[in-house]
Amino acid sequence: MVQLYVFNPAPKLRLLSTLFFRGSKRILGSVSESTSPLSTQPRSQQCTPFIKAPIEAPRELVRDADYYADSRKGFCAFQVENTLFNVHQVLLSREPSAFGDMLCLPRLANSTEGSEETPVFLSDTVEQFRDFLWALYAPPNELFLETRIDRLLNVAELANKYCFASLEAWTIEHIYSLAKEPMASSLLHSASPDTCGRIIDVAILCNHLKLQELVTQHLISRTLWYNTQPEAILGIAEKHGLRTLIGVCYYRQLVNMERAPSRRDSRAAQTVFPQSINIDKSMRFLAAHRSLLSLWEHIRSLPPALSCEGCPSHVECELAWQLMWFQAGELDEVLRQGSADILGRMKALMLGLRKAMADAPSMTMQCKMAALEAITDMRDEVIEGLITHFMKPL
C-alpha cells in the first residue's frame, strides 16, 4: 500500500518571514545609527507623527426657510453646509436617480439616517441645492418663465450630478433657447466672461455641443470686435482646449501690444511686450507676428475666386473684381491698421470693396454677392487658423 505524505509549507513560511523581519530590523537600526551624528536636534524633535490642526467649532445648523417640512414620515433630511433641508421622498423618487437608489436601499429598524438628528450630508452649496429643489417643486409654467441664468445653471449641474436625466435635458435645452435669442434680449448680451465660461462648463458637462459652440462663437465675437479683454477669456479657452478661441485671445493680445509709430518717428509700428510675459511667449508672439505679415501679403496679392453660376458676363466680372481687390489693398484705411492686425485690415478691405462694387456697373448682382461671400469665407478661415501662427516652431 502506497503511503501519501502531505507537505504543509506554513511552518517554514512563518520561519522565513520571522528571519526576514529580524534582518530588516538590524539593517534599519544600523542605518539610523550611522546617520544620527548628522542631526543636531534631539530625537524627539526630528519627526512629528502628525500636526494638531486647530479644531473648528461646529457651526449651528439652521433649517431652510422654504424647503424644510416639519414632518418625518415620507421625508428625508439633508445637510448642505450648515443648512438642513427636509424633502418629500416622492419628489426625489419620481424618476430614476441617485436619490431614488439611495431611498430604495433597505435600512435597519432602528436606523435614524435621513432624519434631522442624522441627516444625509451633501457636498453642494446651499444656493445650488435650493435652486435644485425649486426646480423639483415648481409648477411647469414657473419653470418655463425662468430666465435667471445662475439658477438654471445650478439646476443643470445638480440634475447631472444626481442623474435626473429628464430635468437635466430640459434645463440645458432651456438655457440654449435663451442664449440663441436675438442679441438685444439674449442672456449672452449682458453675461460676464465668467458667466459665459460657466455656461461652457455646464454645456460640456451635459454634452450639449450646440450650446458650447454658440457661447464660444459669442466670446470670439466679443474678443475680436467689441474690445473685451482677452485675459478674461483665455482661461476659459485653455481650460477646455478651445483652439479657435485660444488663437483669437493670443491674436488680440498681440494686436494690443503693437504700438503705432509716433508723429516724430515714421518707422513701422513696434511690438512692446509687458514684463509679465516670459521669453518663450515673447518669441512665439514675434514668430506669429512674422507669420501674420506673410499671410497678409498672400491675401493682398491673391483675390479669392468668384463662384457664381448663371452670370452672363462672368469673365468681365472676374477682371473687375481683381482690379478692385488690388486697389482696395492699397487704401489708407487698410494700411492704417496695425501690421499684425490682419483681421482689422480685412475688415477695412471689405468696406472698401463694398463701396467700390456699389459704383461698379460692370459686375452683375450675382457676382457681387458671391464676392462678399468669398471675403466672409476667407475671414472665417483666417480666424479658425489663428492658433497655428502661435504654434509654429521657433
Side-chain angles (χ1 to χ4, degrees), residues 21-39:
F21 178 71
R22 290 176 180 175
S24 300
K25 289 182 65 177
R26 286 195 298 270
I27 293 173
L28 293 174
S30 62
V31 171
S32 62
E33 290 174 1
S34 62
T35 58
S36 59
L38 299 177
S39 177

Side-chain angles (χ1 to χ4, degrees), residues 79-260:
Q79 178 185 344
V80 182
E81 295 179 337
N82 68 324
T83 304
L84 290 174
F85 297 85
N86 201 27
V87 187
H88 203 293
Q89 296 182 12
V90 172
L91 292 174
L92 301 175
S93 306
R94 65 185 182 185
E95 68 173 283
S97 66
F99 291 114
D101 296 338
M102 179 193 71
L103 297 174
C104 291
L105 293 175
R107 301 184 184 180
L108 298 176
N110 58 350
S111 175
T112 60
E113 185 180 6
S115 63
E116 183 175 359
E117 294 77 16
T118 315
V120 178
F121 181 81
L122 301 178
S123 59
D124 312 308
T125 66
V126 172
E127 181 182 3
Q128 281 180 316
F129 197 64
R130 186 178 290 125
D131 288 340
F132 176 68
L133 293 181
W134 165 83
L136 294 181
Y137 278 98
N141 62 324
E142 188 176 343
L143 286 172
F144 282 100
L145 293 176
E146 183 57 57
T147 59
R148 283 174 288 182
I149 185 61
D150 290 336
R151 165 174 277 186
L152 293 172
L153 291 173
N154 286 337
V155 173
E157 285 177 338
L158 292 200
N160 175 275
K161 178 179 179 180
Y162 296 120
C163 304
F164 278 77
S166 62
L167 181 60
E168 174 190 346
W170 178 87
T171 307
I172 197 68
E173 192 64 31
H174 185 49
I175 295 173
Y176 177 62
S177 65
L178 294 174
K180 68 179 182 179
E181 289 179 357
M183 194 63 180
S185 58
S186 172
L187 64 88
L188 297 179
H189 180 66
S190 58
S192 65
D194 291 338
T195 300
C196 292
R198 192 178 172 207
I199 296 175
I200 292 179
D201 289 340
V202 175
I204 293 176
L205 178 68
C206 300
N207 196 28
H208 200 291
L209 296 180
K210 290 184 178 180
L211 178 59
Q212 176 188 342
E213 293 173 357
L214 177 65
V215 182
T216 301
Q217 290 300 321
H218 171 76
L219 291 177
I220 289 174
S221 178
R222 285 177 62 170
T223 306
L224 288 177
W225 316 121
Y226 295 97
N227 295 324
T228 298
Q229 293 302 314
E231 291 77 15
I233 309 296
L234 184 57
I236 303 169
E238 292 178 336
K239 177 182 178 181
H240 298 294
L242 305 175
R243 289 176 55 83
T244 302
L245 188 55
I246 293 174
V248 166
C249 291
Y250 285 166
Y251 165 78
R252 179 51 59 187
Q253 285 182 330
L254 177 60
V255 171
N256 291 344
M257 294 174 192
E258 194 172 36
R259 297 291 183 267

